[in-house]
Structure formats: C-alpha cells, structure tokens
Amino acid sequence: MARVAVVTGGTRGIGAAIAKALKAAGYKVAANYAGNHEAAQKFKAETGISIFKWDVSSFEACAEGLKKVEAELGPIEVLVNNAGITRDTTLHRMKPDQWNAVINTNLNSLFNMCRHVIEGMRERKFGRIVNIASINGQKGQIGQTNYSAAKAGEIGFTKALAQENAKLNVTVNAIAPGYINTEMVQAVPKDVLEKNILPQIPIGRLGEPEEIARCVVFLASDDAGLITGSTMTVNGGQYFA
C-alpha cells in the first residue's frame, strides 16, 4: 500500500516540487497551503494531488488539518515541513510582529506538525520527517535575524527529535537549500543576483526546486534508513557546514 506523505507549503515553489516528486515516487500526497487559494487550486488541477488548507503556525489548526488528511488518505508516514515565510529587515528596524510571524510559521510549525504525527509513527515503528531549513540557518544573513534564528532552530529540533525516535525506525533529517530558483529568489533584482549572489556559488547557478525534491524523496525512502539527525547541505558549494 502506498505511504501517505504530507508536505506543508506544498502547492508552490520548493514545496510543489517536493509534492510532485513524492507522487511520482508512488506516495499518496497531501499538499498543505495557507493562503493562496487560486494557486492551490491550479496546482491540484495540474497534478491531481490533494490539497488541504490550514495555518501551520496554529497547533489547533494542524490537529484539525491532519485529521482530515488521515481520514481521506490514511495514516501519515512521511512529513515534510517546508512551509516558510520571510519578513526581512535589520534587527534595529524589526517590529515584534515581523519577528513573531517568522518564528511562528517557520519554527513553531515543526512542533505543531510533528507533535500530531509522532505518536502514530512510533506506534507503527516507521516514520520519515524531513525539515526544510536553509543555508541562512547555518551561516546567518544580514536582514534575517528572524529567519536565520528559525532555520537554525529547525536544525537543532531535527537533531533532538532524531535521537528520541531512532530506535523506533523514525528518522528525522533536515535539508538546508542554498539559493533556489523560486518566486522568492526571482523577485531579487537581476543586478543584485548577478553581482552579489551568483559569484558566491561555486557551481555558478541557482539550484532548481526539483533538485531539493530529489533529496527529500531519498530521505523519505527505505534506502535512507541509516540516516537520521543529519543536515543535508544543498547549495552548490556556497557554504560547508
């Protein structure tokens, strides 16, 4: 029977690529989204992947949303925590709502999602959790104290949860992408991209969402059973952690 995989932020960008790759690999996929209903409906029409709307920053909304997924598709065996936002500004200009929004969506969501699936994974003695962190959680980035803190927190969360569940065949890993060719990066002015960003990447190009997706498919597979608590750096050689 096909395993059930949930991808948060799964209808756009890296999340959409992950959801499509998991479906192609034979999983029953549920793609979560928060706000862009039009994009989500288009994604569903194009892929046939089930979509579910809820706010991952809410513990209660995650509980309700995951119950709907399990009722429709079955027990969740793979969870990809991909949902994330940015509210970039330097700390001396940052407002509390800019800090809280990023921490709640990017970091607190890991607790909100994992808490509701971890017991079932432990009982079934199988689970795969993959957290999408960031190069900026490893090295930091100007204007992103909130984002960098959240993504660094994801890596620490990953290591701790991996240790708690290793004996029960539940693996927990992180992927730290570098600059990926998504809407977020495409919004960067071309001159900034060419002069400031690409020269920092030894392979000389942006990554593609599908390249991150292939990493997720591997970590979700039985073949990756020995790998847990790891952070896979996928950044074209820009930073080595």
Side-chain angles (χ1 to χ4, degrees):
M1 181 178 287
R3 289 172 174 158
V4 176
V6 174
V7 183
T8 67
T11 62
R12 299 167 62 194
I14 293 173
I18 292 169
K20 288 187 280 190
L22 286 169
K23 182 185 178 184
Y27 294 83
K28 291 192 289 185
V29 181
N32 152 269
Y33 72 103
N36 193 328
H37 187 67
E38 183 178 345
Q41 288 293 338
K42 181 180 178 183
F43 171 83
K44 180 181 179 180
E46 291 175 349
T47 65
I49 293 172
S50 299
I51 59 172
F52 297 83
K53 182 179 180 180
W54 76 81
D55 178 5
V56 295
S57 71
S58 165
F59 185 78
E60 293 76 16
C62 288
E64 185 177 343
L66 289 167
K67 283 182 181 178
K68 290 179 180 177
V69 171
E70 293 198 323
E72 183 173 320
L73 300 179
I76 295 162
E77 294 172 291
V78 176
L79 170 62
V80 183
N81 288 304
N82 167 75
I85 62 171
T86 56
R87 297 289 185 270
D88 294 353
T89 188
T90 51
L91 186 70
H92 63 279
R93 295 189 178 94
M94 190 175 292
K95 307 297 183 186
D97 64 321
Q98 294 172 307
W99 174 271
N100 291 329
V102 170
I103 297 299
N104 287 337
T105 297
N106 297 16
L107 179 58
N108 291 347
S109 62
L110 269 63
F111 171 77
N112 296 339
M113 292 292 295
C114 291
R115 182 63 184 85
H116 294 302
V117 303
I118 195 67
E119 290 185 61
M121 290 179 175
R122 288 169 62 88
E123 288 170 6
R124 293 186 295 272
K125 293 184 171 56
F126 180 86
R128 297 286 187 264
I129 297 173
V130 183
N131 300 317
I132 307 301
S134 168
I135 185 175
N136 292 341
Q138 297 173 302
K139 72 175 187 62
Q141 178 62 33
I142 294 170
Q144 287 196 329
T145 52
N146 48 7
Y147 186 83
S148 295
K151 293 301 182 178
E154 286 190 31
I155 293 170
F157 178 99
T158 296
K159 293 177 179 180
L161 190 62
Q163 292 178 62
E164 292 179 2
N165 295 281
K167 290 183 179 180
L168 293 170
N169 196 28
V170 177
T171 67
V172 189
N173 292 289
I175 296 173
Y179 284 91
I180 306 300
N181 189 23
T182 61
E183 290 179 23
M184 185 185 300
V185 173
Q186 290 166 4
V188 175
K190 186 177 180 181
D191 62 324
V192 173
L193 187 66
E194 293 180 351
K195 294 179 181 178
N196 299 338
I197 295 176
L198 289 179
Q200 298 178 30
I201 306 173
I203 66 169
R205 67 171 177 85
L206 300 174
E208 295 298 330
E210 292 76 17
E211 293 179 293
I212 306 302
R214 288 193 287 272
C215 297
V216 173
V217 171
F218 171 65
L219 290 175
S221 71
D222 290 334
D223 291 339
L226 187 63
I227 303 171
T228 194
S230 295
T231 300
M232 185 182 290
T233 57
V234 190
N235 59 38
Q238 184 179 353
Y239 183 80
F240 301 111

mmCIF file of all heavy atoms in Angstrom, residues 10-32:
data_model
loop_
_atom_site.group_PDB
_atom_site.id
_atom_site.type_symbol
_atom_site.label_atom_id
_atom_site.label_comp_id
_atom_site.label_asym_id
_atom_site.label_seq_id
_atom_site.Cartn_x
_atom_site.Cartn_y
_atom_site.Cartn_z
ATOM 1 N N GLY A 10 2.976 23.137 0.313
ATOM 2 C CA GLY A 10 3.229 22.168 -0.751
ATOM 3 C C GLY A 10 2.641 22.470 -2.105
ATOM 4 O O GLY A 10 2.670 21.595 -2.979
ATOM 5 N N THR A 11 2.120 23.664 -2.314
ATOM 6 C CA THR A 11 1.492 23.957 -3.608
ATOM 7 C C THR A 11 2.251 24.971 -4.452
ATOM 8 O O THR A 11 1.843 25.279 -5.562
ATOM 9 C CB THR A 11 0.048 24.473 -3.410
ATOM 10 O OG1 THR A 11 0.077 25.701 -2.665
ATOM 11 C CG2 THR A 11 -0.806 23.448 -2.666
ATOM 12 N N ARG A 12 3.369 25.483 -3.914
ATOM 13 C CA ARG A 12 4.168 26.458 -4.656
ATOM 14 C C ARG A 12 5.655 26.214 -4.399
ATOM 15 O O ARG A 12 6.036 25.655 -3.384
ATOM 16 C CB ARG A 12 3.808 27.893 -4.229
ATOM 17 C CG ARG A 12 2.365 28.270 -4.478
ATOM 18 C CD ARG A 12 1.992 29.551 -3.757
ATOM 19 N NE ARG A 12 2.770 30.699 -4.226
ATOM 20 C CZ ARG A 12 2.826 31.867 -3.590
ATOM 21 N NH1 ARG A 12 2.177 32.031 -2.448
ATOM 22 N NH2 ARG A 12 3.534 32.860 -4.081
ATOM 23 N N GLY A 13 6.485 26.668 -5.318
ATOM 24 C CA GLY A 13 7.926 26.667 -5.122
ATOM 25 C C GLY A 13 8.512 25.304 -4.816
ATOM 26 O O GLY A 13 8.168 24.288 -5.429
ATOM 27 N N ILE A 14 9.429 25.268 -3.853
ATOM 28 C CA ILE A 14 10.087 24.024 -3.475
ATOM 29 C C ILE A 14 9.062 22.994 -3.008
ATOM 30 O O ILE A 14 9.162 21.814 -3.338
ATOM 31 C CB ILE A 14 11.141 24.281 -2.378
ATOM 32 C CG1 ILE A 14 12.309 25.114 -2.938
ATOM 33 C CG2 ILE A 14 11.655 22.970 -1.793
ATOM 34 C CD1 ILE A 14 13.309 25.556 -1.895
ATOM 35 N N GLY A 15 8.066 23.436 -2.245
ATOM 36 C CA GLY A 15 7.054 22.508 -1.746
ATOM 37 C C GLY A 15 6.290 21.810 -2.851
ATOM 38 O O GLY A 15 6.014 20.608 -2.767
ATOM 39 N N ALA A 16 5.947 22.539 -3.900
ATOM 40 C CA ALA A 16 5.236 21.942 -5.030
ATOM 41 C C ALA A 16 6.103 20.906 -5.720
ATOM 42 O O ALA A 16 5.620 19.819 -6.095
ATOM 43 C CB ALA A 16 4.816 23.033 -6.016
ATOM 44 N N ALA A 17 7.381 21.211 -5.877
ATOM 45 C CA ALA A 17 8.301 20.248 -6.497
ATOM 46 C C ALA A 17 8.417 18.987 -5.644
ATOM 47 O O ALA A 17 8.460 17.868 -6.173
ATOM 48 C CB ALA A 17 9.669 20.888 -6.701
ATOM 49 N N ILE A 18 8.464 19.157 -4.334
ATOM 50 C CA ILE A 18 8.539 18.013 -3.424
ATOM 51 C C ILE A 18 7.286 17.157 -3.533
ATOM 52 O O ILE A 18 7.351 15.929 -3.635
ATOM 53 C CB ILE A 18 8.749 18.488 -1.979
ATOM 54 C CG1 ILE A 18 10.137 19.118 -1.815
ATOM 55 C CG2 ILE A 18 8.559 17.329 -0.986
ATOM 56 C CD1 ILE A 18 10.323 19.845 -0.502
ATOM 57 N N ALA A 19 6.129 17.815 -3.491
ATOM 58 C CA ALA A 19 4.861 17.077 -3.570
ATOM 59 C C ALA A 19 4.766 16.275 -4.866
ATOM 60 O O ALA A 19 4.376 15.094 -4.870
ATOM 61 C CB ALA A 19 3.688 18.047 -3.449
ATOM 62 N N LYS A 20 5.152 16.883 -5.975
ATOM 63 C CA LYS A 20 5.091 16.197 -7.268
ATOM 64 C C LYS A 20 6.081 15.037 -7.334
ATOM 65 O O LYS A 20 5.768 13.966 -7.874
ATOM 66 C CB LYS A 20 5.344 17.193 -8.401
ATOM 67 C CG LYS A 20 4.178 18.153 -8.628
ATOM 68 C CD LYS A 20 4.357 19.018 -9.855
ATOM 69 C CE LYS A 20 5.264 20.176 -9.610
ATOM 70 N NZ LYS A 20 5.253 21.146 -10.754
ATOM 71 N N ALA A 21 7.270 15.236 -6.777
ATOM 72 C CA ALA A 21 8.269 14.176 -6.797
ATOM 73 C C ALA A 21 7.842 12.989 -5.936
ATOM 74 O O ALA A 21 8.060 11.826 -6.308
ATOM 75 C CB ALA A 21 9.611 14.714 -6.327
ATOM 76 N N LEU A 22 7.250 13.267 -4.787
ATOM 77 C CA LEU A 22 6.767 12.185 -3.928
ATOM 78 C C LEU A 22 5.632 11.418 -4.610
ATOM 79 O O LEU A 22 5.583 10.180 -4.543
ATOM 80 C CB LEU A 22 6.307 12.743 -2.589
ATOM 81 C CG LEU A 22 7.424 13.172 -1.636
ATOM 82 C CD1 LEU A 22 6.855 13.959 -0.461
ATOM 83 C CD2 LEU A 22 8.217 11.957 -1.125
ATOM 84 N N LYS A 23 4.749 12.122 -5.280
ATOM 85 C CA LYS A 23 3.679 11.438 -6.005
ATOM 86 C C LYS A 23 4.266 10.542 -7.091
ATOM 87 O O LYS A 23 3.861 9.389 -7.254
ATOM 88 C CB LYS A 23 2.707 12.438 -6.629
ATOM 89 C CG LYS A 23 1.559 11.748 -7.360
ATOM 90 C CD LYS A 23 0.639 12.711 -8.084
ATOM 91 C CE LYS A 23 -0.452 11.927 -8.822
ATOM 92 N NZ LYS A 23 -1.323 12.815 -9.623
ATOM 93 N N ALA A 24 5.244 11.067 -7.820
ATOM 94 C CA ALA A 24 5.877 10.286 -8.886
ATOM 95 C C ALA A 24 6.575 9.054 -8.331
ATOM 96 O O ALA A 24 6.703 8.031 -9.025
ATOM 97 C CB ALA A 24 6.865 11.155 -9.654
ATOM 98 N N ALA A 25 7.022 9.141 -7.074
ATOM 99 C CA ALA A 25 7.694 8.005 -6.435
ATOM 100 C C ALA A 25 6.708 7.010 -5.832
ATOM 101 O O ALA A 25 7.133 6.010 -5.238
ATOM 102 C CB ALA A 25 8.644 8.512 -5.358
ATOM 103 N N GLY A 26 5.410 7.289 -5.945
ATOM 104 C CA GLY A 26 4.404 6.328 -5.515
ATOM 105 C C GLY A 26 3.691 6.630 -4.215
ATOM 106 O O GLY A 26 2.903 5.816 -3.738
ATOM 107 N N TYR A 27 3.944 7.793 -3.628
ATOM 108 C CA TYR A 27 3.280 8.165 -2.385
ATOM 109 C C TYR A 27 1.901 8.759 -2.657
ATOM 110 O O TYR A 27 1.653 9.344 -3.713
ATOM 111 C CB TYR A 27 4.117 9.197 -1.615
ATOM 112 C CG TYR A 27 5.439 8.683 -1.116
ATOM 113 C CD1 TYR A 27 6.552 8.653 -1.955
ATOM 114 C CD2 TYR A 27 5.592 8.217 0.184
ATOM 115 C CE1 TYR A 27 7.783 8.178 -1.510
ATOM 116 C CE2 TYR A 27 6.815 7.749 0.648
ATOM 117 C CZ TYR A 27 7.907 7.734 -0.216
ATOM 118 O OH TYR A 27 9.105 7.261 0.227
ATOM 119 N N LYS A 28 1.027 8.621 -1.670
ATOM 120 C CA LYS A 28 -0.222 9.386 -1.645
ATOM 121 C C LYS A 28 0.095 10.699 -0.936
ATOM 122 O O LYS A 28 0.473 10.685 0.239
ATOM 123 C CB LYS A 28 -1.329 8.629 -0.906
ATOM 124 C CG LYS A 28 -1.813 7.398 -1.630
ATOM 125 C CD LYS A 28 -3.100 6.847 -1.018
ATOM 126 C CE LYS A 28 -2.848 6.214 0.333
ATOM 127 N NZ LYS A 28 -4.087 5.580 0.875
ATOM 128 N N VAL A 29 -0.049 11.807 -1.636
ATOM 129 C CA VAL A 29 0.466 13.079 -1.141
ATOM 130 C C VAL A 29 -0.663 14.034 -0.775
ATOM 131 O O VAL A 29 -1.647 14.173 -1.516
ATOM 132 C CB VAL A 29 1.390 13.742 -2.185
ATOM 133 C CG1 VAL A 29 1.937 15.066 -1.655
ATOM 134 C CG2 VAL A 29 2.526 12.805 -2.559
ATOM 135 N N ALA A 30 -0.493 14.686 0.367
ATOM 136 C CA ALA A 30 -1.360 15.789 0.779
ATOM 137 C C ALA A 30 -0.516 17.055 0.812
ATOM 138 O O ALA A 30 0.497 17.108 1.511
ATOM 139 C CB ALA A 30 -1.948 15.524 2.164
ATOM 140 N N ALA A 31 -0.920 18.048 0.044
ATOM 141 C CA ALA A 31 -0.192 19.311 -0.001
ATOM 142 C C ALA A 31 -0.950 20.352 0.814
ATOM 143 O O ALA A 31 -2.092 20.698 0.500
ATOM 144 C CB ALA A 31 -0.023 19.786 -1.442
ATOM 145 N N ASN A 32 -0.309 20.829 1.855
ATOM 146 C CA ASN A 32 -0.894 21.883 2.689
ATOM 147 C C ASN A 32 -0.580 23.251 2.111
ATOM 148 O O ASN A 32 0.470 23.464 1.499
ATOM 149 C CB ASN A 32 -0.340 21.769 4.110
ATOM 150 C CG ASN A 32 -0.311 23.104 4.835
ATOM 151 O OD1 ASN A 32 0.690 23.820 4.773
ATOM 152 N ND2 ASN A 32 -1.381 23.464 5.500
#
